[in-house]
Amino acid sequence: MIEFQNLVKVYDSGGKQVHALNNINLKISKGEIYGVVGFSGAGKSSLIRCVNYLERPTSGKVIVDGHDLSALSEKEIRRVKKNIGMVFQHFNLLNSKTVYANVAMPLVLEKKPKEEIKKRVYELLEFVGLGDKANAYPDQLSGGQKQRVGIARSLATQPSILLCDEATSALDPQTTSSILQLLRKINEEYNITILMITHEMSVIREICNKVAVMEMGEVIEEGTVFDVFSAPKTKTAQNFVSTVMHDQIPQSIIDMIENNNGANNVFRINFVDQSTGKPLLSQLAKKFDLEVNVLFGNITELQGIPFGNLIVEFQGTQAEINRALTYMETKEISFREVKSHVS
Amino acid sequence: MLVNSNQIMEALIETIQMVGISFIFSILLGLPLGILLFVTRKGQILENTAFFAVLNAIINIFRSIPFIILLVAIIPFTRLIVGTSIGTAAAIVPLVIYAGPYIARLVESSLLEIDDGVLEAANAMGATPWQTIYRFLLPEALSSLVVNFTIATIGLIGASAMAGTVGGGGIGDLAITYGYQRFDTVTMIITVVILIIMVQGLQSLGNTLSKKIRRR
């Protein structure tokens, strides 16, 4: 659906060259909700703007729906853009026009007949829950309502791709959640591929299937939301994941481990899917001569799959503990020892 | 008082004619130039730095010439256009040359006030440059354009007072020939009051219209 091949974007900022995108290779398949997360300045904004050529890449290819954009004429690019809806952080509505006129705009540009436009606009306003606001002006609406207008407008031409540029970043948490539900509904009902960029990991967790983490113009980690959230590899990804997963061990517990003077038999056990439902800890206590002390724990759900981790301390002889660890390995339980200075 | 009410009435009509007609032609000249100034800027939809630099310089040149000098300097051009260098029609040509570039600048500044996001949305929708101007830029700038056009009209009333130099007539001319040169204080006061009323009226009209468009 969308493919980036060796994508490079260099800005000339006062004689200094800024590499906003550094050799990006990504593939976004049809029907996915694909999230790109990164701190500001990571390049995610440039990336999303390359999809509909709001920004032209310095080199490399953007392939949308099989079309290599660099090979197209201006006119053909305008046609491709009509197949790509875009939702903006600050809505970018025309303040001089009513909600109706705003949503109708993409159809007016296509010179569609008035009757057809009317039918489609009311259908869209109904869909986003603003059926009664057709004659209101944007400055009479709340932020969430403005974004709904923006979403209705982006869907007017029945695009197959929707780009969301920090679409919820200007909204409060409750409104964010309702807008995300609307985006999911769009994805499910119309099978529209959604590419969204955000700096909020909670947004990714709530609706995305796949995620890419960007830093300094590069994609440093990519995969399904479940994989990246359950086992983030890079430091930046770990930081992002920890903002929503709350899997950091509290300082007081770290202090306690330290005070144990190296008698470190503290482990982080990951529970994924099936294993979450099994009574592992009580099995260990029964099978082996040891006490299990739970220090900290967190169980959550990712993409409908239960996921969590427990920080436990084993008390017993070293030999018995080693036997328990071997047992866990044979049961393919994922765990690692927690050192006092790292969590 | 050296003038009668008929003369004042006649002068008033001359002023309204001069200002009205030159306003229309100034808009016809200034609006497209102002739009061109905006869209050829760096990063805009029809970016063309060379064109922008030349147009920018030309507008600055015309904006630098005091109206009284422009009025006499372009007499040959005026004669070419309206076939005469004296009278109300002859005053309109320099007024348009004077106000056109001024309006171009005002239009440019109105367009610069528009949020970049609106242009980004137009671009994302695949709007052509003409659609961007007509469907996005002008409606969004309209309220501000009305305020700026009011300013331009008031500027034209001021400039039209000098039209007497080429026999253009009007309220300003009456004030100079009778009120100033012949020390007729009453005529001076009457003409100034008429001008004040005209300017006040236009300004309120402009403000009301702009507010109506902005609906706030």
Side-chain angles (χ1 to χ4, degrees):
Chain A
M1 199 79 220
I2 306 171
E3 198 177 342
F4 302 107
Q5 290 178 355
N6 309 318
L7 191 68
V8 174
K9 175 76 188 180
V10 182
Y11 291 105
D12 200 41
S13 142
K16 252 173 67 184
Q17 296 216 314
V18 182
H19 286 257
L21 296 174
N22 231 333
N23 201 29
I24 303 277
N25 287 289
L26 269 187
K27 216 170 178 173
I28 294 149
S29 309
K30 177 140 189 67
E32 274 179 348
I33 304 185
Y34 198 108
V36 177
V37 70
F39 296 113
S40 50
K44 53 193 196 305
S45 188
S46 297
L47 182 73
I48 202 169
R49 281 173 168 68
C50 281
V51 178
N52 58 355
Y53 257 37
L54 293 186
E55 279 181 29
R56 309 267 156 139
T58 308
S59 69
K61 281 181 182 174
V62 181
I63 297 164
V64 177
D65 229 351
H67 302 287
D68 174 3
L69 297 188
S70 63
L72 300 182
S73 69
E74 287 298 314
K75 207 176 162 189
E76 287 166 323
I77 284 173
R78 278 201 289 269
R79 195 187 308 278
V80 171
K81 282 177 181 174
K82 290 180 197 292
N83 189 33
I84 306 174
M86 190 164 190
V87 179
F88 304 89
Q89 178 176 6
H90 299 294
F91 326 123
N92 296 354
L93 303 175
L94 279 94
N95 288 315
S96 59
K97 305 256 184 202
T98 60
V99 165
Y100 180 94
N102 268 288
V103 176
M105 186 58 88
L107 301 169
V108 171
L109 297 182
E110 281 196 53
K111 303 186 177 71
K112 294 271 190 228
K114 271 218 170 77
E115 275 310 305
E116 189 186 325
I117 292 178
K118 195 173 167 188
K119 191 169 159 272
R120 179 82 183 131
V121 171
Y122 279 106
E123 188 183 298
L124 285 162
L125 288 177
E126 230 27 83
F127 180 80
V128 300
L130 290 176
D132 55 337
K133 296 281 184 207
N135 296 317
Y137 283 88
D139 59 9
Q140 297 166 321
L141 303 179
S142 68
Q145 288 172 325
K146 282 185 201 171
Q147 196 56 291
R148 281 166 191 272
V149 177
I151 290 170
R153 178 176 71 177
S154 73
L155 297 176
T157 51
Q158 297 179 298
S160 56
I161 295 171
L162 185 62
L163 305 176
C164 299
D165 175 17
E166 297 274 7
T168 58
S169 300
L171 306 173
D172 62 62
Q174 223 168 355
T175 316
T176 293
S177 172
S178 75
I179 292 292
L180 292 178
Q181 276 166 26
L182 178 62
L183 290 176
R184 181 186 286 149
K185 188 169 125 186
I186 289 164
N187 172 258
E188 284 167 359
E189 287 189 21
Y190 300 132
N191 195 29
I192 292 178
T193 309
I194 299 180
L195 172 61
M196 57 195 315
I197 61 166
T198 180
H199 63 270
E200 293 170 311
M201 209 55 177
S202 56
V203 168
I204 305 275
R205 183 173 77 165
E206 207 159 327
I207 66 165
C208 292
N209 327 114
K210 292 189 81 180
V211 60
V213 182
M214 281 190 77
E215 191 173 38
M216 312 262 285
E218 285 174 34
V219 171
I220 54 168
E221 203 160 332
E222 195 234 345
T224 66
V225 165
F226 189 86
D227 287 347
V228 172
F229 274 70
S230 58
K233 293 179 201 77
T234 58
K235 189 82 197 134
T236 306
Q238 282 162 10
N239 280 339
F240 272 114
V241 168
S242 70
T243 60
V244 287
M245 297 299 283
H246 309 295
D247 63 346
Q248 298 287 30
I249 303 173
Q251 189 58 43
S252 58
I253 290 174
I254 294 175
D255 290 346
M256 211 175 79
I257 299 170
E258 269 177 358
N259 291 340
N260 274 355
N261 278 333
N264 265 336
N265 281 310
V266 180
F267 296 89
R268 175 192 285 267
I269 304 172
N270 288 331
F271 292 89
V272 177
D273 203 7
Q274 304 285 314
S275 63
T276 318
K278 287 185 185 149
L280 174 73
L281 296 183
S282 63
Q283 278 175 6
L284 288 176
K286 272 185 203 156
K287 274 191 196 288
F288 307 100
D289 183 20
L290 43 80
E291 302 279 344
V292 181
N293 181 19
V294 176
L295 299 174
F296 179 73
N298 178 293
I299 306 277
T300 181
E301 192 190 60
L302 277 175
Q303 304 281 291
I305 304 169
F307 168 79
N309 54 60
L310 281 183
I311 309 293
V312 298
E313 183 185 16
F314 293 139
Q315 293 167 349
T317 63
Q318 198 57 47
E320 205 58 18
I321 289 169
N322 287 344
R323 279 181 60 207
L325 297 182
T326 315
Y327 172 78
M328 288 205 292
E329 272 165 15
T330 59
K331 293 278 173 191
E332 291 183 342
I333 306 283
S334 141
F335 67 94
R336 62 187 156 96
E337 191 173 2
V338 178
K339 301 275 193 304
S340 60
H341 55 279
V342 285
S343 54
Chain B
M1 189 164 87
L2 299 167
V3 296
N4 58 37
S5 60
N6 280 344
Q7 276 174 292
I8 292 175
M9 209 51 214
E10 200 182 316
L12 185 61
I13 290 166
E14 280 167 352
T15 294
I16 292 170
Q17 272 178 347
M18 265 193 295
V19 172
I21 295 170
S22 40
F23 175 69
I24 291 165
F25 282 104
S26 305
I27 299 275
L28 289 179
L29 178 69
L31 186 61
L33 287 180
I35 293 170
L36 278 176
L37 270 178
F38 178 78
V39 295
T40 57
R41 264 173 181 266
K42 199 169 159 51
Q44 289 302 344
I45 48 174
L46 294 172
E47 177 180 332
N48 187 333
T49 13
F51 182 90
F52 174 81
V54 172
L55 184 61
N56 196 38
I58 291 173
I59 286 172
N60 277 344
I61 289 167
F62 277 96
R63 298 264 297 118
S64 320
I65 307 169
F67 181 63
I68 190 80
I69 293 167
L70 187 75
L71 190 65
V72 287
I74 64 159
I75 281 178
F77 177 72
T78 305
R79 195 178 285 131
L80 189 77
I81 300 284
V82 292
T84 173
S85 59
I86 50 165
T88 309
I92 289 170
V93 176
L95 280 173
V96 171
I97 301 298
Y98 169 73
Y102 181 36
I103 287 177
R105 275 281 175 248
L106 292 171
V107 168
E108 183 195 24
S109 89
S110 283
L111 295 177
L112 284 170
E113 285 168 25
I114 298 173
D115 182 8
D116 285 341
V118 169
L119 287 158
E120 196 173 42
N123 187 353
M125 280 180 219
T128 61
W130 170 244
Q131 285 176 327
T132 306
I133 293 167
Y134 179 66
R135 299 275 180 198
F136 293 81
L137 288 178
L138 292 182
E140 282 298 277
L142 190 59
S143 168
S144 155
L145 283 174
V146 168
V147 171
N148 279 333
F149 288 166
T150 310
I151 294 172
T153 316
I154 290 167
L156 274 173
I157 292 176
S160 75
M162 291 172 241
T165 316
V166 293
I171 294 284
D173 187 32
L174 209 64
I176 290 167
T177 37
Y178 291 92
Y180 174 63
Q181 285 163 349
R182 297 171 74 175
F183 307 105
D184 181 355
T185 313
V186 179
T187 303
M188 184 61 108
I189 290 170
I190 290 172
T191 51
V192 168
V193 167
I194 290 173
L195 287 172
I196 289 173
I197 292 170
M198 277 179 82
V199 169
Q200 293 284 357
L202 270 170
Q203 191 64 59
S204 332
L205 180 73
N207 289 349
T208 315
L209 257 175
S210 164
K211 241 186 220 151
K212 224 175 185 160
I213 293 163
R214 206 186 293 267
R215 329 148 293 95
R216 276 175 193 149

